[in-house]
Amino acid sequence: MARIFLSYAREDGARAERIALALGQAGHNVWWDREIIAGSSFSGEIDSALENAELIVVLWSQHSIRSDWVRDEAAIGRESGRLLPALIEVVDPPLGFRQYQAVILHMRGRQPAQPLIEAIDKKLGSGSTTPTPRPTPPAVRWPSHPLAIAAAVLLMLVAATGTWWFTRPDASSSLSIAVVGSGGNPGQSQELAQSLSRDLGRFRAGPLGSLTIVEGNDAVAAHTAYRVEVGVSGSGNALQADVALKSSSSAGLLWSTLVPEPHGRMIDLRQQVSAQVGDVLNCLAELREKGRTLKPGSLSLFLHGCALGNSNEAVGIFQELVKREPKFGHGWAGLALVASWQVPEVPNAERRQLINTVREALRKAKIYGPDLPETAVAVANFAPSGGKKMLRTLQLMDDALVHHPNSPLLRGTRSSALEKVGRMNESVSESQRALDLNPLSPDLLDAHASALAYSGNAAAAIKALEQAEKTWPGSARLAEARYRFNLRYGDPAKAAEYLNLAGSSSAPGDTAATMAYLRARSEPSNSNIGRAVAAYRARYAKDMADVPPYLQALAIFGRIDEAFSAATPAVAVDSIEAGTEVLFRSYMSQFRADPRFMLLAQRIGLIDVWRASGIWPDFCSEPGLPYDCKSEASKWRKVPVVQEIH
């Protein structure tokens, strides 16, 4: 008989159960699962079941037509010719699915499945929808062992009450975490809890991929190892979310925070909460993966530090943590990392003390956590500038990835390092892997879209932003990312519109130059281009270290001789050396095509990197480049190989 994948909304669990039982009694092998769990430890099983199903039966209802997961599963069925829709309520299916004739099951009382059974037999009997057999494991079948049958019955009972199945976590099982709406506005709190559990379910790899995320009520949460409570309060333009992570053990409250959203946008509140909770759970899962235990107070400090990212406040949190846990490698590595990020940001009077903090933290991290991702990135941040720093960063990332291949921190850092030396295609691949490992990170999403655009693949960058906007519709962070894309690659009119509405994210004095630049992009007349270049030239005259924006404007408008003149002074070279990634963006191709570019590359240490690694930048293989990179580089003084990169 047929292999059936049953897709339905969580709220329709009782009706889905009766339909699944009826199909099973008719001899079909039915795989049915809960909507919300579609990430974490069951994601591979779900994907396999979808892949191997002969038919994907979708139960449309008031709940399922609004479910992202059900629509995704229905789309897979539609695109592969395996969709069989059924109406369990009087509803119109979502757009894109209304042209398919649905089996009518919305009758009074218990839902009879006989029309669906007949539709399955008729559809498969036509022979038009049976997929080509695949050499993959068969879909999940109903069990036949007595103990397994008992477990399946328990599963059905749990489903009928609108909750979820779970197991008590142990050393080898998935760590179960419930997400519960608690306090504040009940409707908004429940909405945020449902969205958060769905967001966390998007993790498919790394430590968070081992978690079982459950959206439910207090009864469900009573049987999980941890619970995340979210409560939304406020109204209008002053929303905020109270978020807490609690343990079912005597440890109690492990982490809490208050997330404000001053503009009153639920989507931005959701994005902030999802990112912070994802970071906290990632740290929790990583400790569990390594079998590391901490006292409740120390664990709370560690999770707080994880949530704070690279903020100055995190430095103090990690300092307190290592006082309590002087041999805790993650604590020293975390302190070294956040402090190294803060060094360029603090006033000169405080910098020396912070540098000493980084040095001491690194010394201890190399003892207690030498192979941790945070240790490697902190060492890279603290390396001398120039070509040696680029080489050192790439080597450190490669070495650390041997131990932590699923670290989004390492992947993201390596992506940035590759971009700085012109290996743009590899940078895109690494940014994609980093985003796959942490799909809730706005920073990684922004970095991936930017890497695509910088490499010259504007169409893919647009697609990445559009896909993200489906998940985070109306997000202010994505609107800013879209603005930066339009600024250089997309629609200059839309970039100007954003700038007028939101204001410039850079210094106030930049706005006039940016608007002049956008006008020149929209209408590239000689006068408009002249005004834009003059505006950036005035900025450069005030601060020669502010050369990158000027250099980009000159290259975009074809003022190549002026660009090389601007890049000649030592102070300008130092500024370019700190941000070499600008040189390899697609709109700088005319600048790179001039052989003088190789002299600049030598001055900022890039030729040393290319020689030492044996891997030359992507642009050296571009058709039409009027010189050979290696031959041109050989005209300049050779520098001994500092370190090889594999």
Side-chain angles (χ1 to χ4, degrees):
M1 302 299 282
R3 297 190 301 273
I4 307 295
F5 183 100
L6 190 62
S7 176
Y8 63 99
R10 173 182 55 82
E11 294 85 352
D12 302 321
R15 284 180 285 185
E17 174 202 343
R18 290 193 289 270
I19 291 171
L21 286 173
L23 294 179
Q25 290 169 356
H28 297 296
N29 297 317
V30 183
W31 199 102
W32 63 301
D33 199 355
R34 286 249 169 229
E35 169 200 3
I36 240 23
I37 205 73
S40 304
S41 61
F42 292 113
S43 62
E45 192 174 332
I46 290 172
D47 290 343
S48 177
L50 280 166
E51 178 76 9
N52 285 278
E54 292 176 83
L55 286 178
I56 297 175
V57 174
V58 178
L59 305 183
W60 291 123
S61 70
Q62 293 288 348
H63 298 295
S64 64
I65 62 174
R66 295 191 296 269
S67 165
D68 292 338
W69 293 112
V70 174
R71 286 199 298 269
D72 286 348
E73 291 163 356
I76 291 173
R78 178 188 61 196
E79 292 162 9
S80 61
R82 295 176 289 151
L83 174 64
L84 180 55
L87 299 179
I88 59 175
E89 291 179 355
V90 182
V91 295
D92 288 327
L95 290 174
F97 300 98
R98 295 179 183 175
Q99 69 271 38
Y100 295 89
Q101 184 175 357
V103 180
I104 306 299
L105 298 181
H106 50 77
M107 299 175 63
R108 295 184 179 181
R110 298 173 66 85
Q111 307 297 326
Q114 188 57 37
L116 181 59
I117 295 171
E118 294 172 359
I120 290 171
D121 293 341
K122 181 178 179 181
K123 193 168 182 68
L124 291 181
S126 67
S128 60
T129 61
T130 304
T132 303
R134 299 172 178 85
T136 51
V140 177
R141 299 174 182 269
W142 289 101
S144 57
H145 190 280
L147 290 177
I149 292 175
V153 172
L154 177 60
L155 170 62
M156 295 175 217
L157 292 174
V158 173
T161 63
T163 58
W164 191 253
W165 75 89
F166 44 79
T167 57
R168 287 280 185 179
D170 56 38
S172 60
S173 68
S174 171
L175 189 64
S176 55
I177 298 176
V179 183
V180 181
S182 177
N185 180 294
Q188 290 181 317
S189 299
Q190 186 61 26
E191 176 189 349
L192 182 57
Q194 291 175 343
S195 298
L196 177 58
S197 61
R198 191 173 291 117
D199 291 339
L200 294 172
R202 293 168 58 202
F203 281 88
R204 301 297 180 99
L208 264 183
S210 67
L211 302 183
T212 299
I213 307 297
V214 185
E215 186 271 311
N217 51 30
D218 289 341
V220 176
H223 298 280
T224 56
Y226 298 91
R227 61 188 283 161
V228 175
E229 296 180 355
V230 292
V232 179
S233 58
S235 59
N237 291 334
L239 290 178
Q240 62 182 24
D242 288 289
V243 189
L245 173 66
K246 297 182 178 180
S247 170
S248 60
S249 69
S250 58
L253 180 66
L254 295 177
W255 168 75
S256 66
T257 189
L258 182 66
V259 181
E261 172 36 48
H263 302 292
R265 291 191 288 257
M266 273 293 290
I267 190 66
D268 289 332
L269 188 65
R270 170 189 157 199
Q271 191 172 44
Q272 292 181 71
V273 170
S274 295
Q276 286 198 42
V277 172
D279 288 341
V280 168
L281 293 184
N282 191 73
C283 288
L284 183 68
E286 187 175 346
L287 287 185
R288 180 178 184 270
E289 189 178 75
K290 295 191 174 298
R292 186 69 164 86
T293 59
L294 288 174
K295 297 174 184 177
S298 298
L299 178 58
S300 180
L301 282 171
F302 178 57
L303 298 179
H304 273 81
C306 290
L308 289 170
N310 63 348
S311 69
N312 187 52
E313 185 182 352
V315 176
I317 294 291
F318 279 110
Q319 284 177 321
E320 178 61 29
L321 174 60
V322 295
K323 286 181 183 178
R324 298 190 186 191
E325 304 285 346
K327 295 184 179 181
F328 181 42
H330 286 81
W332 287 112
L335 175 57
L337 180 62
V338 297
S340 67
W341 275 331
Q342 285 298 309
V343 167
E345 308 298 326
V346 301
N348 290 335
E350 302 173 18
R351 190 165 298 165
R352 176 53 54 190
Q353 181 178 351
L354 190 59
I355 288 173
N356 290 335
T357 297
V358 176
R359 284 175 174 160
E360 176 62 12
L362 277 177
R363 188 178 71 82
K364 293 293 184 68
K366 290 175 181 178
I367 296 172
Y368 300 114
D371 65 343
L372 291 177
E374 294 80 5
T375 302
V377 176
V379 171
N381 289 347
F382 218 50
S385 60
K388 290 183 179 180
K389 182 180 181 72
M390 299 177 207
L391 285 165
R392 182 67 171 147
T393 298
L394 287 168
Q395 186 63 64
L396 285 165
M397 296 308 102
D398 289 346
D399 290 346
L401 281 166
V402 173
H403 302 284
H404 300 276
N406 290 328
S407 167
L409 174 65
L410 294 176
R411 296 291 178 189
T413 304
R414 188 170 190 269
S415 175
S416 297
L418 289 166
E419 192 177 308
K420 285 180 177 294
V421 298
R423 289 157 64 177
M424 308 302 284
N425 293 328
E426 285 182 84
S427 175
V428 169
S429 297
E430 285 290 9
S431 68
Q432 178 66 72
R433 295 185 72 178
L435 183 60
D436 289 343
L437 289 162
N438 188 354
L440 303 186
S441 169
D443 292 333
L444 292 177
L445 171 61
D446 197 349
H448 179 57
S450 297
L452 287 166
Y454 296 156
S455 68
N457 199 340
I462 292 174
K463 186 176 180 181
L465 288 171
E466 288 175 345
Q467 188 63 36
E469 285 159 357
K470 291 179 182 178
T471 304
W472 311 104
S475 160
R477 182 66 182 271
L478 283 178
E480 184 181 339
R482 175 74 76 163
Y483 158 72
R484 286 196 300 275
F485 174 81
N486 284 326
L487 180 66
R488 302 290 183 191
Y489 306 92
D491 187 340
K494 290 182 178 179
E497 180 183 357
Y498 176 90
L499 198 59
N500 283 324
L501 290 174
S504 175
S505 59
S506 54
D510 293 349
T511 305
T514 303
M515 291 301 290
Y517 160 78
L518 290 171
R519 280 193 294 272
R521 276 198 62 214
S522 295
E523 301 176 25
S525 65
N526 288 335
S527 58
N528 282 343
I529 291 173
R531 279 190 286 270
V533 170
Y536 280 106
R537 187 185 299 122
R539 284 179 52 184
Y540 175 69
K542 291 179 182 178
D543 183 4
M544 295 180 69
D546 192 27
V547 68
Y550 182 35
L551 203 62
Q552 292 176 85
L554 291 170
I556 286 170
F557 295 126
R559 306 288 185 92
I560 303 304
D561 287 339
E562 189 174 350
F564 279 107
S565 295
T568 298
V571 65
V573 171
D574 289 343
S575 179
I576 296 170
E577 184 182 296
T580 57
E581 64 276 5
V582 169
L583 301 174
F584 302 105
R585 294 174 183 175
S586 56
Y587 50 77
M588 299 293 290
S589 59
Q590 194 175 352
F591 183 72
R592 293 192 301 270
D594 192 302
R596 287 175 289 180
F597 177 77
M598 296 304 286
L599 174 58
L600 176 62
Q602 173 62 37
R603 293 184 69 189
I604 59 181
L606 283 168
I607 289 181
D608 298 346
V609 177
W610 301 332
R611 284 176 175 152
S613 67
I615 303 174
W616 291 76
D618 295 349
F619 84 89
C620 290
S621 302
E622 290 176 356
L625 188 70
Y627 60 86
D628 178 78
C629 286
K630 293 182 181 179
S631 298
E632 197 65 30
S634 67
K635 297 177 181 179
W636 312 110
R637 182 180 62 87
K638 277 197 172 185
V639 176
V641 173
V642 178
Q643 189 173 11
E644 290 191 8
I645 304 172
H646 301 286

